[in-house]
Amino acid sequence: LAQSIVVILPTRNPGGRQADSRRNHYRFDMNRDWFARTQPETDGKVELLRRYPGPLFIDAHEMGSETYFFPPNADPVYHEIAEPAVSWINDVYGAAMQDEFDERGIPYFNYDTYDLFYAGYGDTVPANGFGAAGMTFEKANGDPAPQRVFEQYLTQWTSLSAAAINKERILREWHGSWAEA
């Protein structure tokens, strides 16, 4: 981490959080606003990404179903996402998280159809627009808070660690995808 820039945005929707809603104070679901950028919260987040682009972007959520979802994703994947980013998602980050969760006996699922097809979500926009390995993580919101926090922390730390271990490959391929674009 000494040679990394890690940006953490702990709450992107404070008004919605206070109201216990995924919508902001205009009643807009910002998970659907990444492409259009009609809400100030989304626009600020994309501008932060423009200022600090990187090869890894995590959009961590909670969901109503059980266990934990993280990539690899099911096909189809949006066709404009650079091949290196898809490879990092599936073969670097997804594989590392599977190994970590398996070792600890934590249930999870992947290869589900989530967001990596529609070019307006918090994984596809960073992947398509910035060449990042954009990933959405979904944790069951019915689990106790300490479990939710630990599993979210575990996926973040595992992803950062996998990035550090594979930094030369990732940075070389990230540069290559920008040069090709």
Side-chain angles (χ1 to χ4, degrees):
L1 292 177
Q3 297 177 359
S4 300
I5 296 173
V6 178
V7 178
I8 299 172
L9 183 62
T11 304
R12 67 176 183 141
N13 182 11
R17 185 180 181 107
Q18 187 174 11
D20 196 25
S21 171
R22 67 187 291 158
R23 291 169 170 70
N24 69 357
H25 62 282
Y26 295 116
R27 301 198 39 79
F28 193 90
D29 183 349
M30 292 184 298
N31 289 338
R32 311 297 186 260
D33 191 42
W34 278 83
F35 179 76
R37 295 172 58 180
T38 65
Q39 304 301 300
E41 299 93 337
T42 307
D43 197 52
K45 190 170 41 187
V46 174
E47 287 306 313
L48 188 64
L49 239 165
R50 283 161 104 40
R51 184 171 180 188
Y52 298 104
L56 172 61
F57 186 90
I58 298 168
D59 193 16
H61 290 253
E62 291 188 348
M63 63 178 172
S65 66
E66 304 208 5
T67 75
Y68 202 113
F69 170 82
F70 52 78
N73 299 286
D75 285 332
V77 170
Y78 186 61
H79 67 282
E80 293 295 327
I81 296 174
E83 165 53 34
V86 175
S87 175
W88 308 329
I89 291 166
N90 293 339
D91 305 327
V92 175
Y93 303 117
M97 288 182 286
Q98 286 175 320
D99 290 346
E100 189 67 35
F101 273 54
D102 286 347
E103 185 178 309
R104 294 172 181 267
I106 300 172
Y108 65 90
F109 67 102
N110 35 40
Y111 293 103
D112 204 354
T113 305
Y114 267 85
D115 302 343
L116 210 54
F117 180 70
Y118 168 62
Y121 287 138
D123 53 5
T124 316
V125 168
N128 190 44
F130 299 93
M135 298 182 289
T136 295
F137 298 165
E138 298 276 2
K139 173 60 190 151
N141 61 10
D143 288 339
Q147 179 183 350
R148 295 191 325 258
V149 169
F150 174 73
E151 290 177 18
Q152 290 285 19
Y153 165 81
L154 187 60
T155 54
Q156 316 299 305
W157 185 251
T158 300
S159 299
L160 290 170
S161 298
I165 291 166
N166 294 279
K167 74 179 181 179
E168 290 177 15
R169 169 193 166 192
I170 290 169
L171 291 174
R172 182 181 63 254
E173 291 174 356
W174 190 49
H175 174 267
S177 66
W178 280 99
E180 181 180 334

